[in-house]
Amino acid sequence: MDRPSPPRPRLHRSRHNDEKETKHLESLEGAESRLRLFQIDLLDYDSIVAAVNGATGVFHLASPCIVDEVKDPENELLAPAIQGTNNVLTAAMEFGVRRVVVTSSISAITPSPYWPADKVKNEDCWTDVDYCKQNGIWYPLSKTLAEKAAWEFAKEKGLDVVVVNPGTVMGPVLPPTLNASMLMLLHLLQGCTETYENFFMGSIHVKDVALAHILVYENTSATGRHLCVEAISHYGDFAAMVAELYPEYNIPRLPKDTQPGLLRSKNASTKLMDLGLQFIPMEQIIKESVESLKSKGFIS
């Protein structure tokens, strides 16, 4: 006798007060019956409670991402990232959430200039907080302090927390605006020579990021941090492949080693690979990203 299919989970997602930020979500298959959107402010605990109440699991992705000049780091990045994380975890604890998956970043792993030069960076590596403060590198600082706050909360309160640390996320574009990672690619195609010395450690397809979150949520054996890149590489490697695949664009010739001291590694994300994740390679990431930029009218 066939078993009945289990009920499909309903998804709660935070939203901005802007139709442009939600229309593409509401048009997804099944959204009408399975997706509920909530207006939240990371610094407003009560608004978070409304979204978390009734949830079995929480995926905390929301955090400001600014890699350009930051005029007010405390209010633009640090407070929303750190206090926002604490608010989400507090709500999860209050309502008995089974597991929280926190989306951190490779920016909580690098820049880490004092990591041993002969050792490939992994989940044991943390961004150097003092280095970031001294050099005004605010986004990595915000992600690092937010993740540290999450681990401290989990330890003190006994909440089941697991973390994914994605690299530069690219792939097909769903929303009408581009995120910081896709803007990096767009600017490269337009001739930008920025090397993102303190912001790049490897690329990752957005579908693999989504799958990584599902895997660490569903597998109780998954613990701690999970580096999520198809390979540890330099931005120079990425730019060179874009130039090779799309010679019709004015791609600048960048130095090969754009991230000083970063050792390359093809199989760096071993924890996720052990959970069954087979990473989409850089070439396919680039192709799908560029073709999406074309189809959306960002480039011709």
Side-chain angles (χ1 to χ4, degrees):
M1 181 177 178
D2 293 337
R3 292 183 178 180
S5 299
R8 302 181 75 184
R10 298 186 69 181
L11 305 177
H12 293 194
R13 188 188 188 279
S14 62
R15 62 177 288 178
H16 299 285
N17 190 22
D18 186 343
E19 188 179 86
K20 291 187 299 183
E21 294 288 338
T22 59
K23 199 168 184 179
H24 64 285
L25 297 174
E26 293 169 337
S27 65
L28 293 173
E29 181 182 355
E32 185 175 343
S33 60
R34 298 181 54 229
L35 179 66
R36 294 182 64 194
L37 299 176
F38 295 82
Q39 174 67 38
I40 74 163
D41 177 345
L42 286 171
L43 299 180
D44 180 358
Y45 179 74
D46 290 338
S47 71
I48 294 172
V49 163
V52 173
N53 188 7
T56 304
V58 168
F59 297 82
H60 175 42
L61 289 81
S63 189
C65 181
I66 306 171
V67 297
D68 298 321
E69 181 183 358
V70 180
K71 296 180 180 179
D72 184 359
E74 179 62 33
N75 291 313
E76 291 182 57
L77 284 172
L78 298 175
I82 301 165
Q83 187 57 46
T85 295
N86 279 322
N87 283 342
V88 170
L89 297 183
T90 299
M93 192 75 187
E94 179 180 347
F95 290 100
V97 166
R98 182 175 73 84
R99 169 168 276 200
V100 178
V101 180
V102 173
T103 309
S104 185
S105 171
I106 55 94
S107 285
I109 296 175
T110 190
S112 38
Y114 304 112
W115 180 258
D118 60 348
K119 187 176 180 181
V120 174
K121 291 185 179 181
N122 57 31
E123 288 87 354
D124 294 329
C125 181
W126 282 89
T127 287
D128 189 307
V129 168
D130 291 333
Y131 177 82
C132 288
K133 289 179 179 178
Q134 292 164 6
N135 291 279
I137 308 172
W138 302 113
Y139 177 67
L141 180 64
S142 73
K143 295 302 292 185
T144 303
L145 295 180
E147 188 186 336
K148 285 180 177 288
W151 288 123
E152 184 176 344
F153 187 102
K155 182 178 180 181
E156 289 183 359
K157 306 294 185 180
L159 182 65
D160 186 1
V161 171
V162 65
V163 168
V164 178
N165 299 82
T168 302
V169 183
M170 298 183 181
V173 178
L174 281 179
T177 56
L178 298 180
N179 64 4
S181 296
M182 289 297 286
L183 281 172
M184 289 169 63
L185 174 58
L186 177 63
H187 293 160
L188 178 66
L189 292 165
Q190 295 170 337
C192 178
T193 58
E194 174 63 56
T195 60
Y196 303 101
E197 177 181 336
N198 295 305
F199 297 95
F200 192 87
M201 191 175 160
S203 57
I204 181 70
H205 197 290
V206 63
K207 291 181 180 179
D208 284 343
V209 176
L211 183 55
H213 282 70
I214 294 170
L215 287 171
V216 301
Y217 175 73
E218 293 185 342
N219 286 274
T220 55
S221 62
T223 59
R225 314 173 86 197
H226 295 77
L227 176 61
C228 186
V229 291
E230 63 88 29
I232 293 180
S233 58
H234 286 235
Y235 188 70
D237 303 325
F238 178 81
M241 183 167 286
V242 175
E244 179 183 341
L245 294 171
Y246 294 94
E248 64 270 28
Y249 291 98
N250 184 32
I251 312 296
R253 185 182 296 273
L254 300 180
K256 182 180 180 182
D257 295 333
T258 47
Q259 278 59 46
L262 180 66
L263 294 181
R264 294 169 173 84
S265 175
K266 180 58 183 172
N267 299 313
S269 302
T270 53
K271 291 181 71 174
L272 286 173
M273 294 169 71
D274 289 344
L275 291 175
L277 185 51
Q278 297 179 339
F279 288 95
I280 296 170
M282 183 192 292
E283 180 176 345
Q284 186 176 341
I285 294 172
I286 292 171
K287 287 180 177 179
E288 291 191 20
S289 300
V290 173
E291 295 310 313
S292 183
L293 289 174
K294 287 181 179 180
S295 68
K296 296 286 186 177
F298 290 103
I299 53 174
S300 56

